[in-house]
Amino acid sequence: METFQSLLAKKLSDALKAADLPDAGELTPASDPRFGDYQINAALVLGKQRGENPRVLAEKIVAHFDAGDLCEPPGVAGPGFINFALRPGAVGEKTMEVLRDERLGVTETESPRRIVIDFGSPNAAKPMHVGHIRSTLLGDALARIAQFLGHEVIRDNHIGDWGTQFGMVIWGWKNLLDRQALQRNPLAEIVRIYKETNHRASNEPGVREACRQELIKLQAGDKENLDIWNECVAFSMQDFERTYKVLDIHYDIQCGESFYHDRLPGVVERLLKGGIAEISEGAVVVFFRDVPELADKPLIIRKRDGGFNYATTDIATIDYRVNDLKADAIWYVVGAPQTLHFKQIFEIGRREGYRADLCHIVFGNVLGEDRKLMKTRSGENVPLRELLEEACRRARKIIDEKNPDLGEDEKNDIAATIGIGAVKYADLLQYRTTDYIFSWDKMLSLHGNTAPYLQNAYVRIRSIFRKAGNPPLKIGRLIFADAAEINLAKRLCQFAEIVPQVLNGFRPNILANYLFELANSFHTFYEACPVLKSEEPARSSRLALCDLTARVLQRGLDLLGIKVPERM
Ligand code: ARG
């Protein structure tokens, strides 16, 4: 379906052609609604390029512009902006089109790609903590949006299940394990022995060496160590699954680091043969002498003792994703500290001749109210599950106050929807690369740019329909008697323009902010325009606007991984 933006862009392109000018500038929503709905800076850009007066150029473009029924004859403002104000008739028709469309106007891409999204990717034998939130939520939202836009998405959990931590876990398992504690809470016990071993290894060289030996035995396929490893990974996976269930996160594949273990010798050999890697002081190393920023940052892919590392695994991983999974693109949603790692890996991929589009999608940190990295009182990382439980507890309090008569089960369900939604939204609302401060009060507020506010707008609409007895929608045509009605309709039509933009720069915050604006437009409308008490045909027209608002809110939140309750 064409959007207003695409329709205007076409007309503009025609006008520029007719005026003997090249395409230029960017068509954007108007910065000030008093000047119209959209604006373009084409004349300013062309003026600069050609050393001509932009206002004169703007007048020339406008003179060739055929507005048709779409908008009023465009005006020129300021130094040469061209403004477009949509005609109410065009808004009414487009809104009807969107109403009838299950996809709410969002067109599927014309160039679908197969995209592997590597997100979440926690480490086995360690609990997931608040630091994993951003990768998990961001990756999930991008996956949902890419899929909705018609891409083929493969969600991959690249679990750290083969790292050096297992040398310690195995030594701890053999020397410190409390079997009863393991039965009660397996992951907690594994984490305990890991931490204690880690502590001892840093003070006792003997323990450090013993851990190293356990790791070597594991990697050489020692049966006892493999069994312990298997058991630890299984316990970790169960623990992750519980959290994914709460968060409604799903993976298509979970090829952890161990999946690539057998391929590592082949990777090193191939890179040596291809002249991409060389032997240096007994290790196999890739140098990036011709890449200025990496020139003094060689990468070891086989250590002197024959061991492989995280980087070797990632080279094998690209190979698998490109050659076996046939990925056109791989998106790595991983924190900024791994920037150098991915630059090196991508450069190797380039040298190997992979044509897939490789992106490292970084993000900022989650901070506590003290603006430092979020930690528990004892200075540890905040375990993710505890945080999510706290979110539900706090949301439950809100429901107890707001709607005390609901049944116990329903209250708990709604609390989960609101609590988890609040955590997700607070994260996705942020500009991806900035740090943000985690604040319960802010994220759970019913008034402000929060999930509960948006969910409440949805609930309000559902209650209008319940009150009306859920009548089938009668939508002949929309009536715009009040400015709030046409403003809401225009907002609704923008959904189709916003969703594809999220993937330019991977910014779910654009969608979050749009939904907030939509809820605001709805509240303005709701205050100005009675719905159920109004006469026909206004009543049906307003009900249609309500219905569409609810559907856009629901779909938009769903694309962010957030559910809506029917009441709250
Ligand atoms: N397990 C790693 C960590 O916690 C993240 C893995 C990211 N993905 C990758 N292909 N390296 O830091």
Side-chain angles (χ1 to χ4, degrees), residues 386-412:
E386 268 171 40
L387 182 119
L388 299 177
E389 279 162 12
E390 170 94 13
C392 298
R393 238 189 336 268
R394 287 178 184 250
R396 173 67 204 247
K397 266 200 209 133
I398 298 176
I399 300 155
D400 282 334
E401 277 162 32
K402 203 170 172 296
N403 210 339
D405 300 332
L406 292 173
E408 193 65 11
D409 285 351
E410 192 175 7
K411 273 187 187 169
N412 284 335

Side-chain angles (χ1 to χ4, degrees), residues 21 28 31 34 37 43 61 179 204 228 243 272 278 300 328 355 409 446 454 478 492 500 518-519 535 539:
L21 292 166
T28 54
S31 46
R34 279 175 306 176
D37 300 301
I61 298 167
R179 286 265 162 201
E204 301 170 40
I228 297 174
T243 303
L272 275 172
E278 57 198 79
I300 296 179
D328 303 307
R355 289 229 290 280
D409 285 351
L446 284 166
L454 299 179
L478 294 172
L492 290 164
L518 173 63
E535 299 291 327
R539 189 174 187 269

